[in-house]
Amino acid sequence: MEMNVRKKGILKAVINEYILTAEPIGSRTISKKYDLNVSSATIRNEMADLEDLGYLQQPHTSAGRIPSDKGYRFYVDSLIDIEKIPGSFEEMIRKKYLVRKKEVQDIVQVTSRMLSHLTRYTALVASPSSPDYFFQHLQLVPLEGKKVAVIVVISSGLVQHQTVTLQNRPAREELEHISRLINERLQGLPLKNINNEIFRALEKELRDKTLFRELYKSLVEFISEEGTNQEWGKIHLDGATNILEQPEFSDLEKVKVFLKLFEQEDMLKQLLNQIPTEGLKVVIGREVPLEEIRDCSLVVADYSFQDKTVGKMAILGPTRMNYPKVMATVNFMAEVLSKVLREED
Amino acid sequence: MEMNVRKKGILKAVINEYILTAEPIGSRTISKKYDLNVSSATIRNEMADLEDLGYLQQPHTSAGRIPSDKGYRFYVDSLIDIEKIPGSFEEMIRKKYLVRKKEVQDIVQVTSRMLSHLTRYTALVASPSSPDYFFQHLQLVPLEGKKVAVIVVISSGLVQHQTVTLQNRPAREELEHISRLINERLQGLPLKNINNEIFRALEKELRDKTLFRELYKSLVEFISEEGTNQEWGKIHLDGATNILEQPEFSDLEKVKVFLKLFEQEDMLKQLLNQIPTEGLKVVIGREVPLEEIRDCSLVVADYSFQDKTVGKMAILGPTRMNYPKVMATVNFMAEVLSKVLREED
DNA sequence: GCTTAGCACTCTACCATAAGGAGTGCTAAC
DNA sequence: GTTAGCACTCCTTATGGTAGAGTGCTAAGC
């Protein structure tokens, strides 16, 4: 026994219907709502076959069928009608990006908000992660006492800063000397090319080596890839409460697990990183690499900056999510974001 | 009929017990657990009186009593045993502040996290709001094309930045000219003294007035009190999911209202601003100026920087919250934070 | 006159049982 | 291969009945 056209049609009908209702689907529902030109008894037989094949499952003997993870997988891979996003939408979305000042963090935030609004699920957007950014400018601003503000500007206007408390009150000239030298040597360099050797070479040329060493630590944090302080890679989350609208989350325990997860950014970061993406990827139920949300699905897409993949966005929802709509939306948003970033440049 | 010592004792016992169990409290429970040297029948009579007086209420005829808002109010004002925070705690909390780099936003975040951890309720902390900060430094960094990064440093190391896209590619010298002049004139000025007149006076002295006008807008946003872009005043929230542990939130609808509120920062900001504080303030049930959370209580305290009140922190929990513990904790954290900020200076 | 034991009464929470309904699988006829 | 018919299963909902907690009232005691 194997798949045939009719089985596919029935599977598709069951999944479409289940996505809408969240209730087990019976044979009569299918025969009435979908024009398959066969009786409910025939559909019953086919559904029993689909269950044997692993695409459907039955909560209990006298209930209708619900899709299994395997069923969703087949649906997403072979049965889905890709939804078309009307071109007029792009204009609307672009307007949202214009409202905010165009900083990376804001763009990411707007994106996550829109994704969650459009899909009514939870959106995750990772901000651009250490791509081929260039070093632009370093500024050392003396503050009161022994404190210095270290400000680093990176290509496309990303600014990071930190306050460092030194052993002694630094001389203004020394700070200027250091920052002038660093700016001379590093300006325009890709961040990934800036390594310890460059810093060591710099150190040799400096008068006040102690001061440099004190500042060095925070510079590394900003600049080098291993830096722990990076704004990039941060996860923006939006629409966490949308899951409460889903009937599969009527159980408080489940909600708890979910929301607790959202308070741990590391976990989300790891989650997204564990999913390899080329374009659009759907991860269904058991395939999800995080135990707590094995009864959910993820639709992930990557977005690019200067034609390099720099970040990811994802929708997290129940396995019974509206795949056609979500896939179309995520794909679309990734494209628009990439375009917006390119133009920003 | 009015309050007497025994009534007060019974009211206190009922509230203490209810805080622990979240169940209506019967007369027998009180007579057994608390040494009041009277029988349950007497307590029954007194409880009926307390109900007439409005301090207690009965969910239904044959249930025990639960405190009313008025009851909690009396408890908080007159009956409470202030809990003592052991001095050793301060050391522990200070350590937490040391872990992070000492930026205002981080300090605020650490504070909210600790508040929610210590109390097991939801914590809100407003970051310092436009106090007597001083202007420290302005830096204009040219980026690719027509873009300029505007970076402003304020006393105690608060840094804000924004990217501005200009009409034309600016000349490096002009940017330097402008920033030099602004730094000369504004350095050390309290932000609240920097007004339009000063900017207008500045404009007169500048060569490239067009460029200045373009930058002017974002400067105003950072500096002036009406600025919309202010980091300060932002609300940090932590422990939102803690409310799920409370039995009064076993109803999903209630949870929804609560969590939806948390996604709206404006509302939270407004909420805190509507509560006048001098030291520690408790807002109970109906007293809360936000309809959605009228069955909750807030414990609010303000913290200071350079001996001026600059921000607020609050714990939000059910009216049946552990007032002695929460009040002690909030008070304590506000003090420690104020101390930490003073030392940071 | 305040306190208390005793008791009838009320209301909820819980459990068991029953009825209703949706949906299946199987059989036999087409 | 398809379909009508039917017995069967299992869930859901409603019903009734009971146990338990707690009250308010009364009358006796100190």
Side-chain angles (χ1 to χ4, degrees), chain A residues 202-324:
Chain A
L202 270 167
E203 192 182 344
K204 281 189 192 140
E205 298 186 49
L206 283 165
R207 293 181 299 229
D208 191 338
K209 295 190 169 45
T210 327
L211 178 57
F212 178 73
R213 280 197 207 101
E214 286 186 83
L215 294 170
Y216 169 78
K217 216 183 108 211
S218 58
L219 288 176
V220 170
E221 274 198 359
F222 287 145
I223 294 174
S224 82
E225 275 207 70
E226 302 81 40
T228 52
N229 190 40
Q230 303 181 348
E231 286 271 320
W232 38 78
K234 267 199 178 166
I235 306 274
H236 269 262
L237 192 140
D238 203 280
T241 54
N242 283 350
I243 60 149
L244 297 174
E245 312 288 343
Q246 300 298 328
E248 28 271 276
F249 285 91
S250 57
D251 176 23
L252 243 150
E253 275 312 307
K254 258 176 130 178
V255 173
K256 232 183 259 186
V257 170
F258 224 75
L259 294 177
K260 283 261 162 72
L261 174 65
F262 291 162
E263 288 190 344
Q264 299 168 270
E265 205 191 323
D266 314 342
M267 293 283 251
L268 300 175
K269 216 168 188 171
Q270 222 184 319
L271 173 66
L272 285 192
N273 285 336
Q274 273 174 32
I275 299 166
T277 33
E278 347 66 16
L280 193 67
K281 173 128 186 178
V282 182
V283 187
I284 298 166
R286 298 284 164 78
E287 302 165 10
V288 174
L290 195 63
E291 225 187 305
E292 287 94 324
I293 48 172
R294 282 271 159 78
D295 49 356
C296 293
S297 284
L298 279 161
V299 176
V300 193
D302 43 25
Y303 63 91
S304 56
F305 174 55
Q306 296 172 334
D307 296 323
K308 301 247 162 101
T309 295
V310 292
K312 289 180 187 181
M313 60 180 72
I315 285 293
L316 176 57
T319 46
R320 180 195 63 80
M321 74 161 67
N322 189 332
Y323 291 98

Side-chain angles (χ1 to χ4, degrees), chain B residues 60-271:
Chain B
H60 57 85
T61 352
S62 70
R65 301 304 206 295
I66 61 173
S68 66
D69 286 357
K70 189 179 170 189
Y72 285 121
R73 171 51 60 204
F74 190 81
Y75 175 77
V76 165
D77 290 343
S78 315
L79 301 176
I80 218 164
D81 299 318
I82 301 279
E83 211 169 270
K84 188 88 183 107
I85 305 270
S88 60
F89 242 68
E90 182 166 338
E91 214 32 60
M92 193 208 81
I93 286 171
R94 278 169 175 278
K95 269 188 198 132
K96 302 267 180 189
Y97 280 118
L98 288 178
V99 173
R100 290 289 209 120
K101 57 188 171 122
K102 293 175 185 171
E103 273 195 55
V104 175
Q105 290 307 314
D106 294 311
I107 288 178
V108 168
Q109 197 183 323
V110 168
T111 308
S112 63
R113 175 130 300 191
M114 262 188 297
L115 268 176
S116 74
H117 277 23
L118 290 173
T119 60
R120 313 252 72 212
Y121 298 112
T122 304
L124 305 170
V125 182
S127 44
S129 73
S130 67
D132 300 294
Y133 278 135
F134 299 99
F135 179 91
Q136 196 91 6
H137 185 83
L138 164 74
Q139 184 70 29
L140 300 172
V141 181
L143 304 170
E144 300 103 335
K146 300 167 183 169
K147 294 201 297 178
V148 172
V150 180
I151 302 166
V152 174
V153 184
I154 281 138
S155 56
S156 88
L158 194 70
V159 178
Q160 293 206 64
H161 59 86
Q162 189 175 68
T163 311
V164 178
T165 305
L166 304 170
Q167 299 294 325
N168 302 298
R169 180 165 176 77
R172 173 178 287 268
E173 312 84 60
E174 284 306 323
L175 289 178
E176 276 169 16
H177 176 66
I178 290 183
S179 51
R180 196 174 329 115
L181 198 75
I182 290 181
N183 280 325
E184 265 170 32
R185 294 299 153 83
L186 299 188
Q187 221 230 317
L189 279 189
L191 292 189
K192 60 179 179 187
N193 289 6
I194 300 174
N195 50 29
N196 273 345
E197 278 163 62
I198 293 190
F199 280 121
R200 237 171 284 134
L202 270 168
E203 191 182 344
K204 282 191 190 137
E205 298 187 48
L206 284 164
R207 293 182 299 234
D208 192 338
K209 296 191 170 44
T210 328
L211 178 57
F212 178 74
R213 278 195 210 103
E214 286 185 86
L215 294 171
Y216 170 78
K217 217 183 108 212
S218 57
L219 287 177
V220 170
E221 273 197 358
F222 285 146
I223 294 174
S224 83
E225 275 209 68
E226 303 82 41
T228 52
N229 190 43
Q230 303 182 347
E231 287 269 320
W232 37 78
K234 267 199 177 165
I235 307 273
H236 269 262
L237 191 140
D238 204 280
T241 54
N242 283 351
I243 59 149
L244 297 175
E245 313 288 345
Q246 300 299 327
E248 28 270 277
F249 284 92
S250 57
D251 176 24
L252 244 149
E253 275 312 309
K254 257 176 131 180
V255 174
K256 231 183 260 185
V257 170
F258 225 74
L259 294 177
K260 283 260 162 72
L261 174 66
F262 291 162
E263 288 190 345
Q264 298 169 270
E265 204 191 323
D266 314 342
M267 294 282 252
L268 299 176
K269 217 169 187 166
Q270 224 183 318
L271 173 65

Side-chain angles (χ1 to χ4, degrees), chain A residues 6-248:
Chain A
R6 193 168 67 191
K7 277 197 179 57
K8 286 183 191 173
I10 291 171
L11 179 57
K12 184 170 163 183
V14 169
I15 296 183
N16 279 337
E17 200 60 23
Y18 186 65
I19 284 173
L20 290 176
T21 63
E23 301 283 322
I25 309 301
S27 53
R28 251 177 71 85
T29 314
I30 299 298
S31 78
K32 268 199 294 185
K33 279 212 183 176
Y34 293 80
D35 259 353
L36 294 170
N37 292 318
V38 283
S39 74
S40 66
T42 307
I43 293 174
R44 257 197 307 282
N45 289 330
E46 295 283 43
M47 280 166 90
D49 287 355
L50 284 167
E51 188 175 347
D52 288 344
L53 289 166
Y55 295 111
L56 293 179
Q57 46 193 198
Q58 227 175 350
H60 55 85
T61 351
S62 70
R65 300 307 206 290
I66 61 173
S68 66
D69 286 357
K70 188 180 170 188
Y72 285 122
R73 171 52 59 205
F74 190 83
Y75 174 78
V76 165
D77 290 343
S78 315
L79 300 176
I80 218 164
D81 301 317
I82 300 278
E83 211 169 270
K84 188 86 183 110
I85 305 271
S88 60
F89 242 68
E90 183 164 340
E91 214 32 61
M92 194 208 80
I93 287 171
R94 278 167 175 280
K95 268 186 200 138
K96 301 266 180 190
Y97 280 118
L98 289 177
V99 173
R100 289 293 208 116
K101 58 187 172 127
K102 293 175 183 170
E103 272 195 57
V104 176
Q105 290 307 315
D106 294 310
I107 288 177
V108 168
Q109 196 184 324
V110 168
T111 309
S112 64
R113 176 130 298 191
M114 262 190 295
L115 269 176
S116 75
H117 278 22
L118 290 172
T119 60
R120 313 252 71 211
Y121 298 112
T122 303
L124 304 170
V125 181
S127 46
S129 73
S130 66
D132 301 293
Y133 278 133
F134 299 99
F135 179 90
Q136 197 89 8
H137 185 84
L138 165 74
Q139 184 71 28
L140 300 173
V141 182
L143 304 172
E144 298 102 337
K146 299 167 183 169
K147 295 200 297 176
V148 173
V150 180
I151 301 166
V152 174
V153 184
I154 282 138
S155 56
S156 90
L158 194 70
V159 177
Q160 294 206 65
H161 59 87
Q162 191 174 68
T163 310
V164 178
T165 306
L166 302 171
Q167 298 294 326
N168 302 300
R169 179 164 178 78
R172 174 178 286 271
E173 312 84 61
E174 283 307 321
L175 288 178
E176 275 169 18
H177 176 65
I178 290 183
S179 51
R180 195 173 330 113
L181 198 77
I182 290 182
N183 281 325
E184 265 171 31
R185 295 299 154 82
L186 299 188
Q187 220 233 316
L189 279 189
L191 292 190
K192 60 179 179 185
N193 289 6
I194 300 175
N195 50 29
N196 273 344
E197 278 164 62
I198 293 190
F199 279 122
R200 237 170 285 134
L202 270 167
E203 192 182 344
K204 281 189 192 140
E205 298 186 49
L206 283 165
R207 293 181 299 229
D208 191 338
K209 295 190 169 45
T210 327
L211 178 57
F212 178 73
R213 280 197 207 101
E214 286 186 83
L215 294 170
Y216 169 78
K217 216 183 108 211
S218 58
L219 288 176
V220 170
E221 274 198 359
F222 287 145
I223 294 174
S224 82
E225 275 207 70
E226 302 81 40
T228 52
N229 190 40
Q230 303 181 348
E231 286 271 320
W232 38 78
K234 267 199 178 166
I235 306 274
H236 269 262
L237 192 140
D238 203 280
T241 54
N242 283 350
I243 60 149
L244 297 174
E245 312 288 343
Q246 300 298 328
E248 28 271 276

Side-chain angles (χ1 to χ4, degrees), chain B residues 43-73:
Chain B
I43 293 176
R44 254 194 313 278
N45 289 329
E46 295 284 42
M47 280 165 90
D49 288 352
L50 284 167
E51 188 175 349
D52 289 341
L53 288 167
Y55 296 112
L56 294 178
Q57 46 194 198
Q58 226 175 350
H60 57 85
T61 352
S62 70
R65 301 304 206 295
I66 61 173
S68 66
D69 286 357
K70 189 179 170 189
Y72 285 121
R73 171 51 60 204

